[in-house]
């Protein structure tokens, strides 16, 4: 789904109030009645409300449903995106939005920047997009349940991912630094790394395999299982690793100007991403998920690097023996629950994902962003709104034509900047952290010194 922020600078304060009113009404209404929108927005006079509704419908932030029983509007994913971006703008978390750099089954990834120009990653959860047809087949679960809406579940997925990422980062695990979270989105650190699935050769497959297996065990010893530990959700970061021998060699080489400088030793560090499927070791199917994570890594290394470990396991039972023994290393699953993401929220999200067939993101595809391109070379399915509301039955949706008195006259020049500036060249960055199945954009000018990329 394309994220076009150009209309943000033209939205008036009244438009934001009406858009927020539609969001508030969506908590109890699939289609928010127009009188309720007017009441929740707090605007005086019906003409101002109708003008804002026409302006919002014109740019696709709200929409009508054809053949509805009453006059009302629903919030689209574009409208929810704008509300989240406006929150980040007020917090000074995001100043500009660049191109799309990654696509997952249930999320979109964009490069953004702060007011100081620091590049970050914006992840937008879009539960119910790819899985909409499965949602229709599971109506018995979703009917009459407020937790069945795409908006609520996407928000839960973002809250869960931010909570787990924050706890893991604070406890020294190799994950991106979480920065902010709002509604169905989160902002995180941009890491200069490549997805493991793009790498075809590494200097020492056994060492990298050992690090990844150790990371699975380390998570289990702290009470967590990733649940989708595969090549799509692992980034490989290359860092220089100076040693005493290399320092001596470089000093000798500097004295001899005729000899070329020896290559600098590098270290490959795995970075873990995508946490909506993460669960506790106390989960009923914990052993199955743990074994699946291990087998995913074993199969990938055997297929890609032709490396097979002679050691059996590891097994969850062995990791559980170390659980809670060290008082300096408390259980992280308990810490996440204490942070506000309750067990009920986890159960609702898990049941929804099971109902709609969301099981990891290993089929996600990369979207390499073309710098300065507004056509969205990596965008998928710009018209994804058909999956935004599971309980709309077969009613056909249509965009509302704005009233004549609701036509929005855009100034020739933006004037005041009430939204986000479009940063066209920000996505030429050679890396990305992405979403459930995040994928980094390929760098300009080739790969890294010790990595061969597809």
């Amino acid at each position: 789904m394309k994220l076009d922020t150009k209309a943000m600078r033209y939205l008036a304060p009244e438009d934001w109030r009406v858009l927020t009113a539609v969001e508030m009404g969506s908590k109890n209404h699939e289609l928010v009645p127009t009188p309720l929108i007017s009441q929740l927005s707090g605007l005086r006079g019906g003409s101002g409300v109708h003008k804002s509704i026409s302006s919002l419908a014109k740019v696709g932030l709200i929409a009508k449903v054809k053949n509805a029983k009453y006059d009302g509007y629903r919030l689209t994913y574009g409208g929810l995106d704008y509300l989240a971006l406006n929150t980040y703008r007020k917090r000074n978390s995001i100043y500009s939005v660049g191109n799309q750099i990654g696509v997952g089954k249930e999320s979109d990834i964009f490069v953004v920047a702060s007011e100081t120009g620091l590049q970050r990653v914006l992840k937008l959860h879009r539960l119910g997009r790819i899985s909409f047809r499965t949602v229709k087949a599971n109506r018995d679960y979703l009917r009459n349940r407020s937790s069945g809406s795409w908006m609520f579940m996407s928000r839960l997925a973002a809250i869960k991912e931010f909570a787990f990422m924050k706890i893991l980062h604070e406890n020294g695990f190799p994950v991106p630094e979480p920065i902010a979270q709002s509604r169905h989105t989160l902002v995180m650190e941009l890491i200069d790394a490549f997805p493991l699935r793009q790498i075809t050769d590494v200097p020492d497959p056994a060492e990298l395999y050992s690090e990844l297996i150790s990371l699975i065990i380390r998570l289990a010893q702290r009470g967590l299982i990733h649940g989708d530990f595969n090549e799509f959700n692992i980034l490989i970061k290359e860092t220089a690793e100076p040693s005493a021998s290399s320092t001596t060699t470089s000093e000798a080489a500097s004295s001899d100007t005729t000899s070329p400088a020896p290559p600098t030793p590098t270290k490959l560090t795995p970075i873990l991403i995508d946490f909506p499927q993460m669960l506790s070791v106390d989960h009923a199917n914990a052993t199955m998920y743990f074994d699946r994570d291990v087998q995913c890594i074993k199969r990938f290394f055997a297929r890609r690097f032709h490396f097979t470990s002679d050691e059996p396991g590891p097994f969850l039972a062995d990791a559980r023996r170390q659980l809670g023994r060290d008082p300096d290393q408390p259980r992280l699953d308990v810490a996440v629950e204490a942070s506000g993401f309750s067990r009920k929220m986890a159960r609702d999200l898990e049941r929804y994902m099971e109902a709609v067939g969301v099981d990891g993101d290993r089929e996600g595809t990369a979207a390499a962003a073309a710098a300065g391109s507004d056509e969205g070379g990596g965008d998928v399915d710009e018209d994804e709104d058909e999956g935004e509301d599971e309980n709309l039955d077969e009613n056909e949706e249509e965009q509302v034509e704005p009233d004549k008195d609701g036509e929005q006259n855009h100034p020739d020049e933006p004037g005041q900047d009430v939204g986000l500036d479009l940063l066209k060249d920000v996505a030429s960055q050679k890396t990305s952290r992405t979403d459930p199945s995040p994928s980094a954009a390929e760098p300009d000018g080739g790969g890294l010194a010790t990595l061969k990329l597809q």
Side-chain angles (χ1 to χ4, degrees), residues 41-193:
S41 64
L43 297 177
R44 296 181 180 179
S47 60
V49 174
H50 287 287
K51 182 177 180 180
S52 293
I53 287 177
S54 297
S55 300
L56 296 173
K58 182 179 179 180
V59 293
L61 304 184
I62 60 176
K64 252 190 176 179
V65 177
K66 202 171 184 178
N67 301 326
K69 296 180 181 179
Y70 56 87
D71 183 38
Y73 299 83
R74 66 174 184 86
L75 186 67
T76 65
Y77 256 129
L80 194 62
D81 293 345
Y82 267 43
L83 287 169
L85 289 174
N86 193 44
T87 300
Y88 290 135
R89 180 184 64 84
K90 292 178 179 179
R91 296 177 183 171
N92 294 324
S93 298
I94 293 179
Y95 179 76
S96 56
V97 177
N99 289 337
Q100 186 172 5
I101 59 173
V103 181
K105 282 197 305 183
E106 301 290 341
S107 65
D108 291 325
I109 312 298
F110 292 84
V111 172
V112 297
S114 65
E115 194 169 2
T116 60
L118 179 63
Q119 293 187 9
R120 296 168 175 173
V121 169
L122 172 67
K123 179 175 180 179
L124 301 96
H125 286 272
R126 304 203 186 280
L127 293 186
R129 178 176 67 182
I130 304 299
S131 55
F132 180 56
R133 294 180 180 85
T134 314
V135 171
K136 287 187 175 181
N138 289 275
R139 284 185 181 274
D140 290 341
Y141 165 68
L142 296 172
R143 192 180 302 277
N144 299 324
R145 292 182 62 93
S146 61
S147 60
S149 71
W150 59 269
M151 189 189 312
F152 181 73
M153 287 303 164
S154 295
R155 175 176 170 270
L156 274 189
I159 292 175
K160 178 179 180 179
E161 182 160 22
F162 186 83
F164 276 101
M165 196 182 304
K166 188 173 186 294
I167 292 295
L168 291 172
H169 185 267
E170 291 174 351
N171 285 269
F173 282 85
V175 300
E177 179 185 2
I179 297 172
Q181 185 268 325
S182 175
R183 295 174 174 84
H184 66 309
T185 69
L186 62 152
V187 180
M188 65 189 86
E189 170 193 9
L190 178 67
I191 293 184
D192 185 10

Side-chain angles (χ1 to χ4, degrees), residues 34 111 114 141 162 165 194 251 279 296 356 377:
T34 303
V111 172
S114 65
Y141 165 68
F162 186 83
M165 196 182 304
F194 291 94
E251 291 176 353
L279 49 96
C296 281
V356 301

Side-chain angles (χ1 to χ4, degrees), residues 11-27 32 36-37 40-42 52 56 61-62 75 79-80 82-84 86-87 90 151 183:
L11 294 184
E14 294 78 10
D15 299 334
W16 288 111
R17 293 179 67 173
V18 171
L19 188 60
T20 304
V22 177
E23 181 193 26
M24 293 172 62
S26 299
K27 295 178 180 179
V32 186
L36 181 60
I37 296 176
L40 293 175
S41 64
S52 293
L56 296 173
L61 304 184
I62 60 176
L75 186 67
L80 194 62
Y82 267 43
L83 287 169
N86 193 44
T87 300
K90 292 178 179 179
M151 189 189 312
R183 295 174 174 84

